[in-house]
């Protein structure tokens, strides 16, 4: 995911927990005060954003206190409350590239320290290796002696110079992080290799999809034809070039085959050219960028979902499609083979021929009627991935991390120097010392004791989850405009 | 790899799937962990002499620059008259032109569909224009100090060497930029010569050595590798000899440079290749191998 997904295929912002908001939980569960940090959060839309949002809600539901820290998006700065008292800090930091903030390792320390202290954070959970704010927060949290968890959402190669550099930085960032979470086993292998980690401190917790948002509706589709749906950003990494080869090949072979393409991007022009060249205007529909709530309505119009990605850590899109009862045809790349069982997905090699074969197989299945009904598929898929399960497993990681010791300064320096190579290690050890001195200076300027303690919105003594505010849907709608 | 404690019954095998709840902890490390890891699958095995042969392109280009500078030096010192240079250049171009067709028995010409008449026309147009503009070129840089001109020429010639298309498939390669830099350097240097006829001869020579000569070399290399090695050696020796008449130290340094590039660098490449540790696995971005342009033909 070298380029961030923007817009067209966002994910839900309605909390999965909205059905039964604050469930009475069995007492005795350990609660933590968790700070999620990432550059990517609402109003930006994408896999990471929805992961943070949904996970936070389910953690709140479990009785933990959760706050989110991200950078300011335009006018959206300061502190905001989302549904169920989820508190979000939009920090006034400069955005440098692709919604990622600039990093100096130092400039964000005063702000982040203030937040960590006033919110009495015990665990800092950073998301996405593309977010420099996430790495900064990890660095500061370790300086302050807080427990750290990092979730990696993307895959990276090893071949080119840029990945060599980013992998080195990841090594530095993760070498003294308590625990790492990856979204698939392939992603875990990738992260372990990239950051030279002990695989035992890396857990695999997949993403999830809210099954109530993606329900099948066979009445919406036209059964006299066969419709192939593609919903993705139209960019090179999503294999749109492959799609431009598949469309003419199959349209010539099957006169009743239709394509429905949702999403926007630089490769749209390629699809338009193909459509023009083969006169397929009535059979290939390009819908452009989709709002999140429209994704389901597009999906249910099709029989087959086609995913042509060239690399993918988890691929939520195929789970969403399967949840809508579509037969999924996908390339066998990254973590995709782990996501759905063989009877729900046709896996192909990333070539036009193989994907055409896969689609033909799916078409034959539909014609012979051997496919399970959309309802059956939905009922099966909805048991696979739920945010509650993700939160439960993440909470286990927190419990484990809370019992660990944060490396004291001398051990941390040792680890940096021994683990990250002599040159990089020494440089970052120096940075660690400087950041510690800076922290001492900040503590002298404003001692922890005079920093106001924030009122908890969530957590064991959460004001929001008790009587002060109505915790039901009424207030949510105002808090999350046009999502 | 150390395995985490297996809490599950040993009968149940771990599967690399996410959709099933497995009786293993989330941080469980199976013995199959990283089993799809591959190393150095695209690493190439190099043969020493093959690499030495390939380094000929670099040698040739270095020598071209060297010969060009030496010729300029002679002209500047008045050891070489422009008439002589132009005559010799014309003769060698003619020989090269005939060779260019003879080497591949006219196959390349048939493919490109270019006639001799067209070549002759463009040659005449070029010579006429260069001759006509040579007084302008001569006075073009008069207001710029000579030191600046020299410094700029050195930079441009270096740039020419850096961006030249040696056959590598890299983003930095740009034969247009490379040729333009060389011509720019030649105009700069030529403007410091005594008369406009000198300038004309120098710029024409620059075109011959930087634009035409590499084309002939490329063909020579592809068609008759043996001849190519001979030509490269001869060219290198003549460049060295020319440099020797100007400065012994420079000639020695240049000889060392050529030897290190053709002999030492290939050796280093092959030694370092052994240390290559390239990791591949299912996380790599897939490459599209189909030719997709046919769908838009």
């Amino acid at each position: 995911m070298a380029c961030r997904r923007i817009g067209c295929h966002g994910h839900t912002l309605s909390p999965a927990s909205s059905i039964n908001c604050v469930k009475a939980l069995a007492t005795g569960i350990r609660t933590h005060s968790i700070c999620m940090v990432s550059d990517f959060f609402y109003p930006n839309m994408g896999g990471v954003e929805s992961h943070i949002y949904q996970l936070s809600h389910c953690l709140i539901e479990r009785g933990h206190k959760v706050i989110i820290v991200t950078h300011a998006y335009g006018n959206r700065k300061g502190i905001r409350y989302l549904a169920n008292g989820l508190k979000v800090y939009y920090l006034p930091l400069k955005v440098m590239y692709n919604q990622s903030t600039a990093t100096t390792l130092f400039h964000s320390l005063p702000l982040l320290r203030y937040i960590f202290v006033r919110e009495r954070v015990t665990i800092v959970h950073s998301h996405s290796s593309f977010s420099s704010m996430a790495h900064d927060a990890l660095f500061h949290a370790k300086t302050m002696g807080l427990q750290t968890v990092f979730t990696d959402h993307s895959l990276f190669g090893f071949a080119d110079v840029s990945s060599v550099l980013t992998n080195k930085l990841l090594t530095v960032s993760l070498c003294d992080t308590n625990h790492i979470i990856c979204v698939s086993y392939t992603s875990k292998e990738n992260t372990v290799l990239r950051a030279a980690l002990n695989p035992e401190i890396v857990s695999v917790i997949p993403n999830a999809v809210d099954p109530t948002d993606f329900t099948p509706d066979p009445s919406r589709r036209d059964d006299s034809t066969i419709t192939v749906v593609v919903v993705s950003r139209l960019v090179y990494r999503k294999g749109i070039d492959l799609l431009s080869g598949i469309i003419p090949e199959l349209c010539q072979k099957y006169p009743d085959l239709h394509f429905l393409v949702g999403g926007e991007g630089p490769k749209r022009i390629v699809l338009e050219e193909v459509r023009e060249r083969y006169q397929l205007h009535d059979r290939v529909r390009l819908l452009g960028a989709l709002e999140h709530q429209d994704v389901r309505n597009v999906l249910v119009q099709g029989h087959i979902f086609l995913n042509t990605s060239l690399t993918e850590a988890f691929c939520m899109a195929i789970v969403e499609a399967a949840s809508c009862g579509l037969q999924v045809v996908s390339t066998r790349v990254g973590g995709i083979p782990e996501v759905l069982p063989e009877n729900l997905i046709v896996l192909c090699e990333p070539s036009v021929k193989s994907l055409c074969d896969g689609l033909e197989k799916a078409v034959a299945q539909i014609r012979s009627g051997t496919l399970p009904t959309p309802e059956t598929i939905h009922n099966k898929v909805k048991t696979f991935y739920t945010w509650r399960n993700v939160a439960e497993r993440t909470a286990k990681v927190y419990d484990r991390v809370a019992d660990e010791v944060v490396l004291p300064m001398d051990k941390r320096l040792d680890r940096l120097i021994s683990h990250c190579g002599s040159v990089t290690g020494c440089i970052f050890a120096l940075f660690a010392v400087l950041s510690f001195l800076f922290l001492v200076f900040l503590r002298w300027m404003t001692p922890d004791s005079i920093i106001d303690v924030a009122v908890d919105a969530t957590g064991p003594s959460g004001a929001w989850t008790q009587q002060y505010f109505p915790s039901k849907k009424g207030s949510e709608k105002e808090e999350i405009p046009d999502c | 790899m150390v395995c985490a404690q297996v809490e599950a019954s040993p009968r149940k095998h771990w599967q690399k799937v996410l959709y099933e709840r497995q009786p293993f902890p989330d941080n469980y490390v199976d013995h199959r962990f990283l089993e799809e890891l591959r190393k150095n699958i695209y690493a190439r095995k190099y043969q020493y002499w093959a690499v030495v042969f390939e380094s000929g392109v670099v040698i040739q280009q270095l020598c071209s620059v060297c010969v060009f500078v030496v010729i300029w030096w002679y002209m500047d010192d008045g050891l070489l008259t422009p008439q002589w240079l132009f005559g010799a250049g014309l003769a060698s171009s003619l020989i090269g032109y005939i060779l260019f067709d003879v080497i591949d028995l006219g196959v390349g010409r048939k493919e490109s569909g270019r006639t001799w008449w067209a070549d002759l026309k463009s040659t005449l147009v070029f010579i006429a224009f260069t001759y006509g503009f040579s007084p302008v070129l001569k006075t073009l840089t008069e207001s710029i100090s000579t030191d600046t001109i020299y410094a700029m020429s050195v930079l441009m010639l270096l740039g020419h060497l850096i961006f030249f298309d040696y056959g590598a498939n890299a983003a930095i390669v740009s034969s247009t930029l490379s040729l333009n830099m060389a011509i720019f350097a030649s105009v700069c240097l030529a403007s410091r010569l005594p008369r406009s006829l000198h300038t004309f001869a120098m710029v024409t020579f620059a075109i011959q050595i930087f634009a035409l000569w590499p084309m002939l070399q490329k063909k020579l290399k592809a068609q008759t590798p043996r001849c190519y090695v001979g030509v490269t050696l001869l060219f290198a020796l003549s460049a060295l000899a020319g440099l020797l008449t100007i400065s012994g130290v420079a000639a020695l340094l240049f000889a060392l440079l050529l030897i290190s590039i053709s002999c030492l660098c290939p050796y280093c490449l092959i030694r370092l290749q052994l240390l290559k540790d390239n990791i591949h696995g299912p996380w790599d971005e897939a490459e599209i191998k189909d030719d997709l342009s046919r769908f838009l033909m």
Side-chain angles (χ1 to χ4, degrees):
Chain A
M1 213 159 62
C3 31
R4 304 262 327 123
R5 49 166 85 179
I6 301 158
C8 63
H9 191 206
H11 295 272
T12 180
L13 257 185
S14 64
S17 53
S18 59
I19 322 139
N20 45 351
C21 245
V22 186
K23 215 166 46 174
L25 283 159
T27 46
I29 285 187
R30 287 177 67 179
T31 56
H32 306 279
S33 180
I34 302 144
C35 176
M36 305 273 183
V37 188
S38 179
D39 273 317
F40 312 117
F41 193 63
Y42 177 79
N44 209 28
M45 289 292 236
V48 180
E49 290 82 346
S50 78
H51 180 104
I52 297 174
Y53 184 80
Q54 299 282 17
L55 176 63
S56 304
H57 270 289
C58 291
L59 286 171
I60 290 173
E61 186 190 303
R62 295 180 67 82
H64 299 280
K65 174 186 170 185
V66 184
I67 59 162
I68 296 175
V69 175
T70 184
H71 66 78
Y73 282 86
N75 242 347
R76 187 170 273 263
K77 50 196 168 201
I79 299 172
R80 300 266 180 141
Y81 287 92
L82 302 186
N84 298 339
L86 179 57
K87 191 178 197 177
V88 187
Y89 285 84
Y90 289 94
L91 303 187
L93 300 174
K94 205 92 200 119
V95 175
M96 199 169 61
Y97 173 70
N98 251 342
Q99 288 302 345
S100 189
T101 47
T103 178
T104 58
L105 277 185
F106 296 108
H107 72 296
S108 52
L109 178 57
L111 267 175
L112 285 175
R113 176 216 167 213
Y114 207 88
I115 294 170
F116 292 163
V117 170
R118 77 191 290 262
E119 296 285 351
R120 284 155 297 147
V121 170
T122 53
I123 294 173
V124 174
H125 187 170
S126 290
H127 290 265
S128 178
S129 42
F130 288 107
S131 162
S132 49
M133 188 189 224
H135 293 299
D136 272 11
L138 285 181
F139 196 76
H140 303 327
K142 287 172 224 162
T143 313
M144 292 174 63
L146 301 176
Q147 258 81 15
T148 45
V149 178
F150 176 79
T151 299
D152 200 353
H153 293 261
S154 41
L155 297 179
F156 243 96
F158 296 89
D160 49 76
V161 182
S162 82
S163 39
V164 170
L165 288 174
T166 42
N167 291 348
K168 193 74 193 175
L169 287 178
L170 194 74
T171 314
V172 173
S173 187
L174 298 190
C175 75
D176 44 3
T177 300
N178 292 88
H179 209 90
I180 290 99
I181 297 172
C182 291
V183 291
S184 64
Y185 291 107
T186 303
S187 167
K188 171 171 174 175
E189 292 179 347
N190 186 240
T191 308
V192 165
L193 285 172
R194 277 161 62 201
L197 292 167
N198 170 9
E200 277 179 48
I201 63 159
V202 185
S203 286
V204 176
I205 301 176
N207 268 323
V209 165
D210 190 355
T212 54
D213 279 356
F214 294 93
T215 48
D217 185 0
S219 63
R220 293 280 303 277
R221 65 191 199 192
D222 177 7
D223 279 328
S224 61
T225 62
I226 292 175
T227 307
V228 178
V229 180
V230 178
V231 177
S232 97
R233 282 174 301 131
L234 304 182
V235 294
Y236 173 79
R237 289 162 68 90
K238 296 289 179 188
I240 302 304
D241 300 87
L242 288 173
L243 183 61
S244 74
I246 296 164
I247 289 176
E249 198 97 314
L250 286 181
C251 280
Q252 281 165 356
K253 210 163 179 180
Y254 296 94
D256 59 345
L257 196 67
H258 289 245
F259 281 87
L260 195 57
V261 182
E264 193 55 71
K267 287 281 178 191
R268 182 187 173 117
I269 188 86
V270 182
L271 296 182
E272 279 175 355
E273 268 176 49
V274 164
R275 190 168 67 164
E276 195 73 32
R277 171 76 183 73
Y278 293 88
Q279 294 295 313
L280 295 169
H281 293 82
D282 51 337
R283 295 171 58 192
V284 178
R285 277 201 289 151
L286 303 178
L287 300 173
L290 293 180
E291 291 284 324
H292 171 259
Q293 63 267 29
D294 301 332
V295 171
R296 184 251 170 189
N297 293 335
V298 172
L299 286 175
V300 292
Q301 292 173 40
H303 301 79
I304 301 171
F305 182 82
L306 176 62
N307 171 52
T308 52
S309 287
L310 303 179
T311 176
E312 201 79 67
F314 178 81
C315 198
M316 287 218 205
I318 60 171
V319 184
E320 290 167 356
S323 180
C324 287
L326 278 74
Q327 171 66 30
V328 176
V329 177
S330 172
T331 44
R332 188 196 303 272
V333 294
I336 289 179
E338 306 165 25
V339 174
L340 288 173
E342 269 167 35
N343 56 347
L344 296 181
I345 188 169
V346 180
L347 288 171
C348 312
E349 295 312 312
S351 70
V352 172
K353 179 158 189 318
S354 177
L355 280 162
C356 283
D357 290 348
L359 279 169
E360 283 182 41
K361 193 176 150 196
V363 169
Q365 280 178 333
I366 288 171
R367 287 198 172 145
S368 63
T370 49
L371 277 188
T373 62
E375 206 56 49
T376 331
I377 300 178
H378 172 75
N379 286 334
K380 205 162 171 192
V381 172
K382 79 176 180 194
T383 60
F384 292 162
Y385 305 104
T386 60
W387 287 112
R388 289 228 173 77
N389 177 256
V390 171
E392 189 188 322
R393 289 158 80 172
T394 312
K396 263 188 209 152
V397 170
Y398 294 151
D399 288 346
R400 181 191 147 135
V401 163
D403 294 334
E404 287 174 11
V405 281
V406 180
L407 289 181
M409 200 59 191
D410 55 334
K411 293 229 175 81
R412 188 176 171 210
L413 296 183
D414 275 350
R415 173 74 66 88
L416 274 168
I417 292 169
S418 64
H419 202 82
C420 308
S422 45
V423 179
T424 328
C426 286
I427 294 173
F428 279 91
L430 181 68
F431 282 153
V433 172
L434 289 178
S435 118
F436 181 72
L437 293 178
F438 190 30
L439 179 70
V440 170
F441 171 73
L442 288 172
R443 281 189 175 146
W444 173 75
M445 288 281 288
T446 17
D448 285 2
S449 53
I450 66 164
I451 293 178
D452 277 343
V453 171
V455 175
D456 286 357
T458 55
S461 56
W464 197 291
T465 44
Q466 288 164 10
Q467 293 81 340
Y468 301 104
F469 301 98
S471 65
K472 288 288 173 179
K473 283 213 135 178
S475 61
E476 278 166 28
K477 288 295 166 206
E478 290 164 14
E479 288 294 339
I480 318 165
D482 57 52
C483 60
Chain B
M1 215 153 293
V2 198
C3 284
Q5 299 84 358
V6 185
E7 289 170 3
S9 59
R11 281 171 292 126
K12 179 95 178 158
H13 287 293
W14 177 83
Q15 286 172 291
K16 195 179 175 180
V17 293
L18 298 165
Y19 50 83
E20 231 168 71
R21 308 274 152 83
Q22 301 189 54
F24 297 97
D26 285 330
N27 63 336
Y28 172 69
V29 183
D30 196 65
H31 61 89
R32 284 171 59 202
F33 186 68
L34 288 180
E35 69 172 359
E36 284 174 82
L37 176 73
R38 301 281 177 274
K39 279 191 174 177
N40 295 339
I41 45 178
Y42 300 119
R44 280 160 63 177
K45 284 290 245 180
Y46 292 108
Q47 299 293 321
Y48 181 70
W49 288 107
V51 182
V52 172
F53 174 72
E54 292 298 328
S55 74
V57 197
V58 185
I59 300 288
Q60 286 264 16
Q61 218 47 41
L62 279 171
C63 290
S64 293
V65 170
C66 175
V67 165
F68 175 76
V69 172
V70 167
I71 294 284
W72 176 81
W73 195 285
Y74 283 172
M75 295 271 281
D76 202 34
D77 275 0
L79 297 173
L80 191 66
T81 61
Q83 290 85 351
W84 210 89
L85 175 63
F86 184 67
L90 210 61
S92 49
S93 288
L94 222 89
I95 297 171
Y97 185 66
I98 294 166
L99 265 180
F100 194 75
D101 277 349
V102 169
I103 295 170
D104 63 350
L105 307 167
V107 178
R109 179 163 294 276
K110 259 179 228 149
E111 272 170 18
S112 69
R114 223 181 129 76
T115 57
W116 290 4
W117 174 236
D119 288 343
L120 186 65
K121 264 199 295 190
S122 34
T123 314
L124 284 176
V125 167
F126 174 77
I127 289 180
F129 267 90
T130 318
Y131 188 75
F133 280 114
S134 56
V136 180
L137 294 180
K138 167 83 188 69
T139 51
L140 191 66
T141 61
E142 228 161 43
S143 59
I144 301 168
S145 99
T146 305
D147 285 345
T148 312
I149 290 292
Y150 289 161
M152 202 137 70
S153 308
V154 168
L155 277 181
M156 288 296 141
L157 287 174
L158 272 179
H160 165 73
L161 289 173
I162 290 168
F163 295 112
F164 187 78
D165 181 9
Y166 297 107
N169 185 18
I172 194 174
V173 172
S174 161
S175 42
T176 337
L177 181 64
S178 162
L179 180 62
N180 275 314
M181 288 178 116
I183 299 300
F184 184 69
S186 78
V187 170
C188 284
L189 285 179
S191 67
R192 284 296 175 266
L193 293 176
R195 283 177 34 229
S196 57
L197 192 63
H198 287 81
T199 311
F200 164 67
M202 203 65 221
V203 173
T204 322
F205 178 66
I207 295 282
Q208 283 161 348
I209 201 160
F210 290 126
L212 305 179
W213 179 223
M215 282 165 72
L216 180 61
Q217 276 175 43
K218 212 177 217 173
K219 212 164 207 182
L220 263 177
K221 193 178 161 196
Q223 302 288 339
T224 53
R226 275 166 192 280
C227 280
Y228 176 73
V229 174
V231 168
T232 311
L233 276 176
L234 256 174
F235 193 48
L237 284 177
S238 49
L240 271 173
L243 199 59
L244 197 63
T245 58
I246 294 171
S247 154
V249 180
L252 183 69
L253 289 176
F254 190 64
L256 282 178
L257 176 70
L258 292 188
I259 290 171
S260 67
I261 283 181
S262 61
C263 303
L264 208 60
C265 288
Y267 177 74
C268 290
L269 175 72
I270 287 168
R271 286 306 300 270
L272 291 175
Q273 193 73 0
L274 296 177
L275 304 177
K276 193 160 184 150
D277 190 17
N278 212 335
I279 305 172
H280 299 275
W283 49 80
D284 283 333
E285 188 175 309
E287 270 178 60
I288 301 177
K289 296 198 179 78
D290 300 274
D291 175 24
L292 294 165
S293 56
R294 71 190 160 99
F295 292 108
L296 288 172
M297 288 297 187

